[in-house]
Amino acid sequence: MRGRFQPVSGVQLRGVQPALRVAAAVMLVGVCAAACGGGDTSGDAETAADPPPGTGYTSDQLQQALLTELSGYQRAGEPDSGEYGALDAIQNFNRLQAQVKLDKPQCANTAPDFDKAQQAAPAAITTFAKSNGQNVTETLMRVSAETADRQVRIRVAPACRSFKARVGDQWSTHRVVEARGELGDGSRTVGVATTSGTSHVKTWYVVLKARGYLATITLYGPNVTRAEAEQIARQAHRQAQRILP
């Protein structure tokens, strides 16, 4: 799934089995190539680095626009902001990604596909967690309108809607579904069901575009739903629109 979506975003998976923690990293490799701002090397580096007046948000502004609370969840650590590629969560993701092998190599996204301008783009990230291991991660990233449009239009290739992944001697299987949405100025939702041994977990990714930024919500857990992921995305969008000038 080259260019499907990349970060999401460094999900911090506390309170879950190590095998499922690996499975989540696999899902980011398989379907998260661009949702967090990467996977687009089609030549709009200039507009990504120099956006139109009024949309040149700094990483500090994006951090201030993140959700500060989420009903039923507790914040998992402090928010982080700065250049996208320098964020701890993204660097951790890249290290995990390097360990993953897919049975369909053509469905993998790799870090070199990241455009340099996007790696250096202002971004902010925060994570919330429940004691049962359910997690929500929100990422805001400054992008050009063209990049945002492409991220929302991306579709998972039919051949990549199911795949297997291996980390060490641990195998997991993954099934992908996706749908268009109307959140923000346009959105897409991708769901991944993962089986690792006798354990089952789901992840929902919502990617939405707005004026001057791209937002990604990642919802992870055994019983998470698309409806909850999209509701959190609506809440995140309202917060960002209220804070950002």
Side-chain angles (χ1 to χ4, degrees):
M1 277 164 279
R2 179 186 175 88
R4 291 297 176 274
F5 16 140
Q6 171 149 275
V8 220
S9 329
V11 182
Q12 301 175 26
L13 304 176
R14 294 180 172 86
V16 297
Q17 299 178 22
L20 294 187
R21 197 173 294 121
V22 168
V26 169
M27 288 183 284
L28 292 175
V29 173
V31 298
C32 237
C36 302
D40 183 357
T41 58
S42 53
D44 74 329
E46 182 178 351
T47 55
D50 187 16
T55 62
Y57 302 124
T58 67
S59 58
D60 286 343
Q61 287 177 306
L62 294 173
Q63 180 171 328
Q64 292 169 10
L66 292 168
L67 289 169
T68 58
E69 59 183 8
L70 194 57
S71 179
Y73 292 83
Q74 293 184 336
R75 178 174 279 173
E78 293 299 317
D80 193 11
S81 64
E83 291 187 358
Y84 178 83
L87 298 179
D88 288 343
I90 304 310
Q91 293 186 357
N92 290 338
F93 160 75
N94 288 335
R95 285 191 286 270
L96 285 172
Q97 179 180 250
Q99 303 174 35
V100 176
K101 305 297 182 183
L102 301 185
D103 68 333
K104 299 177 180 179
Q106 71 275 18
C107 296
N109 185 76
T110 57
D113 287 336
F114 244 158
D115 184 85
K116 289 183 179 179
Q118 293 176 355
Q119 285 279 16
I125 188 169
T126 190
T127 299
F128 299 86
K130 289 184 177 180
S131 59
N132 64 359
Q134 189 164 308
N135 287 259
V136 173
T137 296
E138 177 192 8
T139 302
L140 298 178
M141 182 180 184
R142 190 182 85 188
V143 298
S144 68
E146 292 82 0
T147 295
D149 286 342
R150 277 191 288 273
Q151 300 310 311
V152 171
R153 291 199 305 265
I154 287 169
R155 294 295 175 264
V156 177
C160 295
R161 291 175 185 163
S162 65
F163 60 94
K164 295 181 180 180
R166 177 174 60 85
V167 176
D169 60 357
Q170 179 67 54
W171 280 94
S172 53
T173 61
H174 309 265
R175 292 183 294 105
V176 181
V177 297
E178 64 178 338
R180 297 182 181 180
E182 298 181 353
L183 303 176
D185 295 335
S187 65
R188 65 188 292 254
T189 299
V190 177
V192 183
T194 295
T195 300
S196 181
T198 59
S199 299
H200 305 273
V201 73
K202 298 176 183 177
T203 307
W204 287 97
Y205 306 98
V206 181
V207 184
L208 68 88
K209 62 178 181 176
R211 183 172 175 267
Y213 68 91
L214 192 73
T216 305
I217 294 295
T218 305
L219 175 62
Y220 173 94
N223 300 306
V224 298
T225 65
R226 172 184 173 182
E228 182 180 2
E230 292 183 342
Q231 177 56 38
I232 295 171
R234 290 188 190 95
Q235 184 176 342
H237 179 245
R238 288 194 299 267
Q239 169 75 358
Q241 293 296 94
R242 183 167 61 249
I243 299 298
L244 295 175

